[in-house]
């Protein structure tokens, strides 16, 4: 009955099935909605955040999704700026995923701050020295860019196409997409970096502090690097998931393989730098603060395993898997590699947020542990539900995967 | 497949042409007269709403409990006399020993002169209201304070009036000459008096006392060569 | 004409363009920015004229001068007074947080009340003052009519020697009841010790500032003992700089308290063995001849062996100590190494002006008489009695007595025969009153309670009495309970009638001789704010009740108001040679040591009253140290190691019979002459040791532990290993904990014979092994959200022996069992 | 580069030998600055206590155990103030003419970045609406504005007391303050006189002298934040507690 909205000549499951599919995600959204209401109405006492854990689950989530969402700008960069035609078949998916990640992140931030109605003071009374200001500016702008990149996809809906102005509008946006891709790349570079900078500049927190390279701490570049290394993998994972769920092939292998290869090389590059950075930090910053490396890794659950897991297991291994053609051409290994890559980056963000705050700096300050409340989880999970919903809906009603038909002769006939 | 893509190719090329035509005819001159009319039909009401209706809606207006004439009180023959205008003001709006500013005098200060509810000093009915409803009842007058700053603001009168040798009028205008206190206009959104929040709706400022916002304080500090007093805590608490 | 989509767009474009060239968007943006900063429900403090009121803090017996900062008649801050001799600018946490006790309506009674609903639940309805006073007066009249005036009893927390205390005593005397019970405090212990050894009823007066060696037996010197701001002020001066030499301070205590830690040395003796330690030191000093022989020879009795009037040879203190308190033996008792004892004794003995202080924590609760005497004996050995830097012999404030009460036959009969329990009788000759015994009497037998009406003044015994909850049980058997408390405390919750008193800042109150102060001092607080609620000065209420009762009872109160009664007493000061001001140039303890007489700075009582009212204090900055031959009021006229009064009392009580059994009933196991001298009696019941631990409750300075509610601000200073959310923490030595398989944070059940509580474990190296430490003052079941249900009340666990001679509870050592839950 | 030099540089010296850990400073501060109270004040992660008391022990076994205290106000870091540079809406600032780090509640958006950046845990977030039990709003002082939920607050060196002192001085026709005319509430209240407060730039001020005491030190000095709060302790184990040291880096006096 909603088939009139489907893209030209593709098959989609029945409304009933689709509705069933959305139910769990709607449930997550409801949970998140309730949590959000409580946090906004009663205040942040609904969470387990504290003066010690000023940043917590939500910030970890924000950093993670923003890093993973980097697939959008980077794929856009490769497609429009570098001009890799094969990526046209995945760029739409990348853009939507990016849009989901960023819009979700911004929504979460809106709840995370104590004075949501004053949030815009960041722009109204901006302090240009604050990395967070830079982050806010770039993220908001980039979210706008993503929206602009998303609109033409929406406008490609069969019914919308019937309206002349909109159709024309959509077409013309396509033509200038290159510009937006470039803008997006520029903005993303900075906010991804500034997100890293946020922690690198906390020079009174030896665990996070990093030495400056020009005006930016090394974390600035490491965050950019890690984001573009993990983003594409996340895009791959999502499209693979879509393929699994829809039981159709949606993205040609050459596109996936190309992204995987790029990820692999970038990741390996990142890991090398990360190791260097860690060594320099352990050799300069840490001793100058009167500490030894292991002092950071003896509090509660935050042991040295974090470093090993982040760099070794979830860094080097996926890098190799993705660089070796044989490995990444094996579907199973490819998925595993992408998963590990993403895990590594999420772990990295987790360490920078939680471990940084958990490890006391004053010798007589004591260690605290933190567990999120159901409200905190609610908001985080809503992010997930929102993602699934928007992506499913887009897939159902918009030509997200332009080559769906030709890739599935079995379904659509040759 | 082939022709499909071709089609879309052509379509989009043609599309771009049509598109530009569409844009031009909608937004770029020469407009058709009809176009103009519609444009104005949108423009004019907007202007009226913005310049005429908006200010009326934005501010509420309240009268003081009863009339108070600065002119009479500041008349040396009838009321208070001082060698300078400042002295005259300070007679009622005085500094306490600890340097803090008394602001609008409390009932006690007024009863220095208006000591007996039975015997008015003048013959205005406002004085009778004052004597009967407040002096006799020993109740403070709920004056509406035109220049009350938000609670987060700290202002030291003595720093400006005594050390800075500023005139009252610089910020308060010529209240001292008023026969009747003007209506108290309160901004419905911010909740503050129009006298500190900007008399001119467009934010233009002709006299120094038109507005007492943070930017105005800072501006004056800077002009007077006191940038150091623009630090947050100088005026915030 | 047909409107195209295009025309519509043009219309919108016009509108959009138009609105942007009006102030709307820009002005709105600006106003909204401010709107977001306004939070209507955040209180905006009213502005107004700033003001100061000088007064005296009456929240504790410390007698600190306070300056209350006011804005438009609201008190907004309490600060210490620079022009005040006792605290000289300093203040304590409770004092600084005092305003929360004044303004918090949720913890106060806002008018007289009548109980509705079951006792303890704390539901009340307001009644008029006349009704409230009438109800009580009629009850008293009724009691007198059936010739049982003694069925009226009172528990009075007013401080010893104040007019308030006097009025309560007077009321009961006039009505005809001897059953007036004061709340236990270290003052009782001091006064009894003074009576027995020095023969005067004066307070204990320690000239700490002029001592060069301060040995404190359990005083929480920097945690609220005595006049807190005075002692801490001195402490601060002593630590001024490593160069400036203060006295060496040694703390005897079983736990690494702040005082113990900040002292120059810490001697960890088992709780309750302090007397033994003192006597062990005496042994060393005597055997090494580190004593003041001339003082001992001229001004003491019973040091050497002596011959009594019946020509019988008697054992002296010296012999007793040398026989029974060798360092090794004492080491066994106290757990302090023998060489440590010897070294300490030598230091004390060789010091120029050593001073041994006796106390128990803050002094809100009773101490141990024998310990106090043993410690005072140390001072005597060094001649440190009535000397600069020693324990000064003082006679109390020169207050004028009130006219005697004319009692009628009913009253006389009640006063003679009606004494409840055994306080003051043969068994406890020196316990002027003992709540413990009242409780015993009330609980005895199944019949009606001998107490019909109980008045409670300025006290919260249900919570503060370390009696394992016995008092609360007793209350359930008393028909009418009347509370004068301004606060909704646990005892008030049990009351049937509330006649709320003012709180500290609303009332006149004397501070009669701050605990331990060396010079005569009287502080007089004044109302700094108009009473916030419909309350009345407890003194005024007492007078009103008496008037209402009428007859001789009314006649006993020849005053209109409390203030008249107060003035009648203070007239005495007008005759004395004191001062009512202090210029701050020279600390009083200096002029005091110089002993130069001063000329009063007032010429008449009215003048004195005026100055008292404005300044808030009167004091005598001088003292005659040379009247050693006359200052002792003992039978022998000397400082008595062998207490004549004690022996006398025992003889009379025994009525020629066997003293042994009587002494046993008094709690004294020592035999022969030792019994009448300062000696050591074991405090722990036999079952101690084994896998049981010894529970030691401790008081905190930064938390109200007596009848006052705790101001929430103070809880900001409580550490979360003392209290976390609603759970108390017990301090246990890691080694002991290991023995009981306890880890940090474990939840345990502490069981004593009196009861059991659930707490969590905090491992603290500073806790004595084999002991377990619980903070007092938590576990309220009354007051507001900030006090109620926070932690457990250690007092509810206290069970065991009574202190010899005084019959007071031994609250510092209870053997308990610990179970992990 | 070193910190800007302003006219005054107000600072504090806390003598830990004198400090008895009584907590009067904390309470006086709370009373002076209209601090709100939460139901569980022992929830040390969320309570607000501008002047917070930290307890330390020397870790020795019984009976050689010793405890000591660190009363910890805001350090008002003078160089590269960690919290100031990170605040997005410029709600906190250091005024080099007083050296005082301000916090403007109506500007703060509650992002808590400053809390993350401060190693002294000196910044506190209002997790709840300020709660004042019936009647207690009467003790609130008009000199300090009451904070709303969702903003960060911290020790202001009782800045309003500086204004009070200035106003008094102006009334007496003076522009300059004498040493001791402007002191914080904690300084004034401390019964042991352990806290000194004044202008570190004025060579004759008490604090200037004390800050050069051989036993004087600052918290986490090695991070280079240049705190304006000094401590004095004659005890090595206490001084060692103030900063991180690698094995045998610490030099006992």
């Amino acid at each position: 009955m909603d088939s009139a909205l489907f893209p030209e000549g593709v098959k989609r499951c029945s409304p009933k099935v689709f509705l069933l599919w959305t139910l769990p995600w709607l449930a997550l959204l409801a949970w998140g909605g309730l949590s959000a209401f409580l946090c906004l109405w009663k205040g942040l006492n609904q969470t387990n955040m504290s003066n010690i854990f000023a940043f917590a689950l939500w910030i970890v989530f924000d950093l993670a999704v923003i890093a993973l969402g980097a697939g959008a700008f980077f794929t856009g960069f490769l497609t429009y700026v570098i001009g890799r035609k094969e990526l046209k078949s995945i760029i739409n998916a990348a853009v939507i995923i990016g849009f989901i990640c960023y819009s979700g992140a911004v929504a979460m931030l809106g709840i995370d701050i104590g004075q949501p109605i004053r949030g815009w003071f960041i722009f109204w009374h901006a302090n240009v020295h604050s990395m967070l200001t830079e982050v806010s500016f770039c993220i908001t702008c980039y979210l706008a860019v993503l929206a602009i990149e998303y609109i033409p996809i929406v406008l490609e809906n069969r019914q919308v196409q019937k309206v002349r102005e909109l159709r024309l509008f959509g077409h013309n946006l396509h033509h200038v997409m290159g510009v937006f891709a470039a803008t997006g790349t520029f903005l993303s570079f900075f906010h991804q970096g500034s997100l890293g900078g946020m922690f690198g500049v906390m020079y009174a927190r030896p665990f996070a502090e990093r030495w400056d390279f020009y005006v930016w701490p090394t974390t600035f570049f490491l965050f950019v690097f890690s984001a573009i290394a993990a983003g594409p993998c996340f895009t791959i994972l999502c499209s693979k998931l879509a393929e699994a769920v829809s039981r159709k092939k949606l993205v040609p292998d050459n596109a996936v393989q190309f992204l995987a290869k790029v990820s692999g090389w970038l990741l390996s590059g990142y890991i090398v730098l990360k190791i260097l950075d860690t060594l320099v930090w352990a050799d300069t910053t840490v001793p100058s603060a009167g500490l030894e490396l292991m002092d950071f890794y003896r509090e509660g659950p935050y042991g040295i395993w974090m470093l090993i897991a982040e760099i070794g297991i979830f860094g080097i291994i996926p890098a190799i898997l993705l660089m070796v053609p044989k490995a990444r051409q094996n579907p199973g290994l490819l998925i595993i590699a992408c998963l590990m890559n993403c895990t590594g980056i999420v772990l990295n963000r987790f360490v920078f947020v939680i471990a940084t705050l958990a490890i006391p700096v004053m010798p007589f300050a004591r260690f605290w542990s933190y567990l999120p409340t159901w409200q905190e989880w609610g908001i985080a999970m809503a992010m997930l539900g929102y993602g699934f919903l928007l992506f499913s809906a887009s897939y159902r009603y918009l030509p997200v995967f332009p080559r769906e038909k030709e890739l599935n002769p079995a379904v659509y006939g040759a | 497949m082939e022709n499909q893509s071709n089609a879309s190719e052509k379509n989009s090329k043609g599309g771009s042409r049509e598109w530009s035509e569409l844009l031009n005819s909608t937004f770029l001159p020469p407009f058709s007269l009809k176009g103009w009319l519609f444009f104005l039909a949108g423009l004019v009401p907007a202007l009226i709403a913005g310049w005429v209706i908006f200010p009326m809606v934005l501010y509420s207006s309240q009268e003081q409990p009863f009339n108070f004439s600065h002119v009479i009180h500041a008349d040396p023959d009838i009321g208070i006399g001082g060698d300078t205008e400042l002295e005259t003001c300070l007679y009622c709006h005085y500094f306490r020993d600890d340097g803090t500013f008394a602001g609008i005098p409390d009932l006690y200060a007024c009863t220095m002169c208006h000591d007996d509810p039975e015997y008015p000093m003048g013959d205005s009915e406002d004085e009778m209201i004052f004597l009967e409803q407040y002096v006799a009842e020993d109740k403070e007058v709920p004056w509406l304070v035109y220049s009350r700053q938000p609670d987060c603001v700290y202002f030291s009168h003595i720093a400006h009036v005594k050390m800075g040798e500023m005139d009252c009028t610089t910020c308060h205008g010529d209240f001292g000459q008023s026969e009747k206190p003007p209506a108290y206009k309160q901004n419905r959104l911010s909740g503050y008096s129009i006298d500190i929040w900007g008399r001119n709706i467009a934010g233009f400022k002709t006299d120094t006392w038109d507005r007492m916002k943070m930017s105005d304080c800072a501006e004056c500090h800077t002009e007077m060569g006191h940038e150091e007093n623009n630090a947050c805590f100088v005026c915030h608490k | 004409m047909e409107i195209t989509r295009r025309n519509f767009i043009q219309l919108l474009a016009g509108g959009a363009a138009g609105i942007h060239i009006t102030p709307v968007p820009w002005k709105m943006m600006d106003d909204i920015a401010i709107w977001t900063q306004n939070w209507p429900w955040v209180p905006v403090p009213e502005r107004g004229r700033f003001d100061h009121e000088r007064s005296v803090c009456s929240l504790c017996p410390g007698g600190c001068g306070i300056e209350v900062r006011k804005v438009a008649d609201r008190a907004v801050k309490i600060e210490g007074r620079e022009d005040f001799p006792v605290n000289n600018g300093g203040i304590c946490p409770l004092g600084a947080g005092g305003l929360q006790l004044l303004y918090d309506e949720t913890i106060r009674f806002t008018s007289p009340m009548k109980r509705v609903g079951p006792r303890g639940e704390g539901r009340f309805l307001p009644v008029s003052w006349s009704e409230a006073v009438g109800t009580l007066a009629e009850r008293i009249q009724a009691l007198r009519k059936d010739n049982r005036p003694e069925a009226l009893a009172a528990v009075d927390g007013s401080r010893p020697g104040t007019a308030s205390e006097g009025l309560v005593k007077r009321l009961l005397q006039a009505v005809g009841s001897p059953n007036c019970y004061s709340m236990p405090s270290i003052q009782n212990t001091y006064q009894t010790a003074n009576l027995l050894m020095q023969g005067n009823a004066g307070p204990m007066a320690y000239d700490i500032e002029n001592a060069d060696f301060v040995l404190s037996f359990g005083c929480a010197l920097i945690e609220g003992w005595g006049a807190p701001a005075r002692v801490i002020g001195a402490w601060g001066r002593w630590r001024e700089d490593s160069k400036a030499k203060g006295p060496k301070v040694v703390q005897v205590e079983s736990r690494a308290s702040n005082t113990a830690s900040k002292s120059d040395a810490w001697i960890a003796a088992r709780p309750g063995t302090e007397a033994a330690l003192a006597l062990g030191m005496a042994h060393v000093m005597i055997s090494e001849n580190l004593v003041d022989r001339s003082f001992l020879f001229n001004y003491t009795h019973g040091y050497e062996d002596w011959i009594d009037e019946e020509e019988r040879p008697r054992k002296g203190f010296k012999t007793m100590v040398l026989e029974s308190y060798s360092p090794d033996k004492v080491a066994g008792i106290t757990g302090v190494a023998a060489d440590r004892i010897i070294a300490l004794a030598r230091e004390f003995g060789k010091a120029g002006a050593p001073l041994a202080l006796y106390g128990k924590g803050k002094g809100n609760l009773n101490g141990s008489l024998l310990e106090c005497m043993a410690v005072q004996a140390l001072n005597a050995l060094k001649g440190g009695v009535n000397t600069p830097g020693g324990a000064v012999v003082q006679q109390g404030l020169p207050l004028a007595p009130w006219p005697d009460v004319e009692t009628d036959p009913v009253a006389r009969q009640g006063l003679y025969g009606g004494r409840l329990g055994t306080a003051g009788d043969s068994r406890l000759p020196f316990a002027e009153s003992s709540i413990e015994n009242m409780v015993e009497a009330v609980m005895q037998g199944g019949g009606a309670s001998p107490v019909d009406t109980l008045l409670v003044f300025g006290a919260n015994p249900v919570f503060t009495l370390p009696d394992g909850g016995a008092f609360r049980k007793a209350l359930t058997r008393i028909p009418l309970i009347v509370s004068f408390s301004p606060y909704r405390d646990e005892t008030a919750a049990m009351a049937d009638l509330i006649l709320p008193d003012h709180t500290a800042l609303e009332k006149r109150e004397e501070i009669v001789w701050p605990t331990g102060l060396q010079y005569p001092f009287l502080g007089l607080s004044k109302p700094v704010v108009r009473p916030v609620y419909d309350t009345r000065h407890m003194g005024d209420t007492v007078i009103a009740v008496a008037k209402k009762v009428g007859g001789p009872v009314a006649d006993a109160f020849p005053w209109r108001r409390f203030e008249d009664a107060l003035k009648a007493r203070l007239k005495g000061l007008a005759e004395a040679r004191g001062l009512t001001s202090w210029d701050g140039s020279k600390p009083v303890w200096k002029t005091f040591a110089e002993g130069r007489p001063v000329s009063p700075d007032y010429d008449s009582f009215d003048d004195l009253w005026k100055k008292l009212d404005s300044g808030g204090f009167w004091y005598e900055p001088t003292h005659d140290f040379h009247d050693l031959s006359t200052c002792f009021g003992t039978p022998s006229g000397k400082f008595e190691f062998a207490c004549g009064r004690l022996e006398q009392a025992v003889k009379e009580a025994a009525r020629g019979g066997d003293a042994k059994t009587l002494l046993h009933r008094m709690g004294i196991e020592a035999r022969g002459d030792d019994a009448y001298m300062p000696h050591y009696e074991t405090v722990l019941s036999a079952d101690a040791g084994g896998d049981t631990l010894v529970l030691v409750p401790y008081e905190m300075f930064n938390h109200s532990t007596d009848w006052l509610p705790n101001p929430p601000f103070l809880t900001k200073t409580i550490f979360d290993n003392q209290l976390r959310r609603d759970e108390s923490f017990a301090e246990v030595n890691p080694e002991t904990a290991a023995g009981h398989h306890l880890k940090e944070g474990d939840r345990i059940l502490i069981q004593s014979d009196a009861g059991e509580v659930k707490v969590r474990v905090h491992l603290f190296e500073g806790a004595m092994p084999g002991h377990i430490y619980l903070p007092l003052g938590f576990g309220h079941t009354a007051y507001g959200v900030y006090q109620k249900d926070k932690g457990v009340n250690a007092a509810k666990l206290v069970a065991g022996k009574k202190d010899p001679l005084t019959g007071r509870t031994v609250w510092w050592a209870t053997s308990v069992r610990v179970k992990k839950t | 580069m070193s910190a800007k030099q302003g006219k005054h540089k107000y600072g504090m010296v806390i003598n830990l030998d004198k400090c008895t850990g009584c907590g009067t400073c904390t309470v006086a501060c709370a009373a002076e600055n209209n601090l709100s109270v939460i139901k569980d004040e022992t929830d040390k992660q969320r309570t607000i206590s501008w002047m917070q008391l930290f307890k330390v022990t020397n870790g020795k076994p019984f009976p050689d155990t010793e405890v000591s205290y660190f009363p910890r106000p805001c350090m008002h870091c003078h160089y590269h103030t960690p919290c100031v540079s990170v605040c997005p809406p410029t709600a906190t600032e250091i005024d080099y003419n007083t050296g005082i780090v301000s916090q403007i509640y109506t500007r703060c958006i509650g992002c808590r970045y400053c809390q993350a950046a401060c190693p002294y845990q000196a910044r506190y977030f209002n997790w709840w609406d300020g709660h004042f039990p019936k009647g207690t709003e009467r003790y609130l002082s008009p000199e300090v504005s009451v904070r709303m939920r969702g903003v960060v607050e911290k020790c202001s060196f009782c800045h309003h007391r500086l204004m009070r002192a200035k106003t008094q001085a102006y009334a007496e026709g003076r522009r300059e303050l004498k040493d001791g005319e402007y002191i914080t509430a904690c300084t004034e209240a401390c019964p042991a006189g352990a806290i000194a407060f004044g202008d570190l730039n004025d060579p004759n001020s008490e604090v200037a002298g004390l800050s050069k005491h051989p036993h004087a030190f600052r918290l986490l000095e090695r991070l280079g934040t240049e705190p304006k709060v000094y401590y004095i302790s004659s005890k090595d184990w206490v001084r060692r507690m103030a900063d991180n040291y690698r094995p045998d880096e610490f030099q006992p006096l």
Side-chain angles (χ1 to χ4, degrees), chain B residues 34 51 187 190 192 197 213, chain C residues 2 7 30-31 34 38:
Chain B
K34 184 156 159 236
W51 287 101
N187 183 305
S190 69
Y192 299 122
W197 212 235
K213 287 174 69 176
Chain C
E2 148 272 3
N7 300 136
D30 200 9
D31 289 359
I34 299 304
N38 297 345

Side-chain angles (χ1 to χ4, degrees), chain A residues 72-358:
Chain A
F73 91 84
F74 190 59
T75 319
F77 172 74
L78 295 172
T79 321
Y80 297 106
V81 182
I82 307 291
R84 301 293 302 217
K85 288 274 168 289
E86 68 266 50
L87 294 183
K88 282 219 170 173
S89 57
I90 199 170
I91 183 68
N92 289 359
V95 165
I96 295 174
I97 293 161
F99 180 78
I100 290 169
C101 291
Y102 277 80
S103 50
V106 170
M108 272 171 102
L109 280 171
I111 298 164
D112 196 341
I113 59 175
Q115 288 283 339
I117 51 171
R118 281 189 219 158
W120 53 291
F121 279 20
I122 293 188
F123 312 105
W124 197 237
H125 305 287
N127 165 17
V128 294
H129 303 292
S130 172
M131 284 288 176
L132 194 50
T133 311
E134 196 173 340
V135 172
S136 322
F137 268 93
C138 295
I139 287 188
T140 8
C141 298
Y142 182 53
L143 182 56
V145 171
L146 278 169
I148 294 168
E149 291 182 334
Y150 186 27
I151 290 168
I153 309 176
V154 178
L155 294 182
E156 275 180 30
N157 175 285
R158 213 162 80 213
Q159 298 308 319
V160 182
Q161 286 283 309
K162 292 186 179 138
V163 183
R164 177 159 166 274
E165 281 83 0
L166 296 178
R167 188 179 75 248
L168 296 171
F169 181 56
H171 279 301
N172 283 273
L173 276 182
H174 266 307
H175 289 286
V176 289
M177 218 28 88
V179 183
F180 287 110
T183 326
T185 312
F186 173 79
L187 292 169
S188 305
F189 177 81
F190 278 100
H191 73 250
Q192 294 284 1
S194 306
L195 277 172
M198 269 182 72
F199 296 89
V201 297
M202 296 203 284
Y203 77 102
R205 290 265 189 189
F207 183 74
E209 186 202 357
R210 291 297 187 278
W211 57 287
D212 288 358
F213 179 81
Y214 185 39
V215 294
W216 295 290
T218 57
T219 46
F220 182 97
F221 306 97
L222 288 172
F223 269 51
V224 179
F225 220 139
S226 55
I228 55 176
C233 279
F234 188 65
T235 316
I236 295 174
L237 283 176
C238 293
S239 40
K240 286 291 170 197
L241 184 61
E243 290 184 337
V245 175
S246 66
R247 282 186 248 87
K248 298 203 191 77
K249 185 154 185 58
L250 301 171
V251 184
D253 289 333
N254 62 341
V256 172
Q257 284 299 314
F258 177 72
L259 281 183
K261 185 173 81 199
V262 176
S263 270
W265 287 104
L266 288 171
L267 183 60
S268 53
Y270 161 71
I271 289 300
V272 172
L273 290 179
K274 173 74 183 171
I275 292 169
L276 282 175
D277 177 68
T278 311
L279 292 176
V280 175
W281 166 74
D283 185 52
T284 59
T285 313
V286 178
S288 72
L291 294 156
E292 289 173 320
L293 184 65
M294 286 316 291
D295 292 338
F296 293 120
Y297 297 103
R298 62 169 65 102
E299 297 286 16
Y302 309 117
I304 189 73
W305 64 266
M306 294 190 300
L307 206 54
I308 298 164
E310 183 194 333
I311 297 177
I313 302 165
F314 297 109
I316 296 170
I317 297 177
I320 294 167
L321 288 178
L322 290 168
M323 282 188 295
V324 180
K326 281 233 161 357
R328 70 165 177 267
Q329 273 146 18
N330 170 323
L333 282 179
L334 176 67
I335 300 294
I336 292 173
C338 291
L339 276 174
M340 290 179 92
N341 182 349
C342 296
T343 317
I345 262 51
V346 173
L347 183 59
N348 168 269
R349 304 305 195 249
F350 169 85
V351 169
F352 265 103
V353 177
I354 299 299
T356 300
L357 297 182

Side-chain angles (χ1 to χ4, degrees), chain C residues 141-216:
Chain C
Q141 284 163 335
L143 288 177
R144 284 168 55 81
K145 196 171 276 105
D146 347 342
N147 284 327
R148 46 190 290 257
E150 68 275 11
L152 174 73
V155 170
D156 185 12
S158 319
R159 301 200 186 85
T162 59
S164 309
E165 188 210 28
L167 286 172
V168 174
K169 282 215 176 83
R170 199 172 177 86
L171 177 69
L172 269 80
Q173 191 189 2
V175 169
S177 167
N179 300 314
C180 186
Y181 301 95
S182 67
M183 289 295 286
S185 96
I186 198 76
Q187 296 280 19
N188 315 124
T189 318
Y190 288 154
Q191 276 168 0
T192 319
N194 273 354
L195 182 69
L196 293 184
M197 301 179 91
Q198 298 172 178
N200 69 320
M204 195 61 90
Y206 291 124
D207 188 14
I208 303 171
E209 289 86 342
N210 292 307
D212 67 356
F213 187 94
V214 174
L215 173 57
S216 147

Side-chain angles (χ1 to χ4, degrees), chain B residues 25 34-35 38-39 41-43 46-47 50-51 58-59 94 96 148-149 151 187 189-190 192 197 201 213, chain C residues 2-3 6-7 9-11 14-15 18-19 21-24 27-28 30-31 34-35 38 44 47 49-50:
Chain B
S25 55
K34 184 156 159 236
F38 273 97
F39 185 76
L43 183 78
L47 290 176
W51 287 101
L58 187 61
Y59 288 95
Y94 56 93
R96 306 191 188 102
R148 164 74 84 237
Q149 288 283 346
D151 182 55
N187 183 305
L189 259 175
S190 69
Y192 299 122
W197 212 235
I201 189 76
K213 287 174 69 176
Chain C
E2 148 272 3
I3 298 172
R6 183 181 308 174
N7 300 136
I9 295 172
Q10 287 162 326
L11 184 78
I19 211 69
I21 50 176
T22 69
V24 173
K27 181 76 176 158
M28 288 293 270
D30 200 9
D31 289 359
I34 299 304
W35 171 79
N38 297 345
V44 174
R47 313 181 186 196
R49 160 191 303 275
F50 291 98

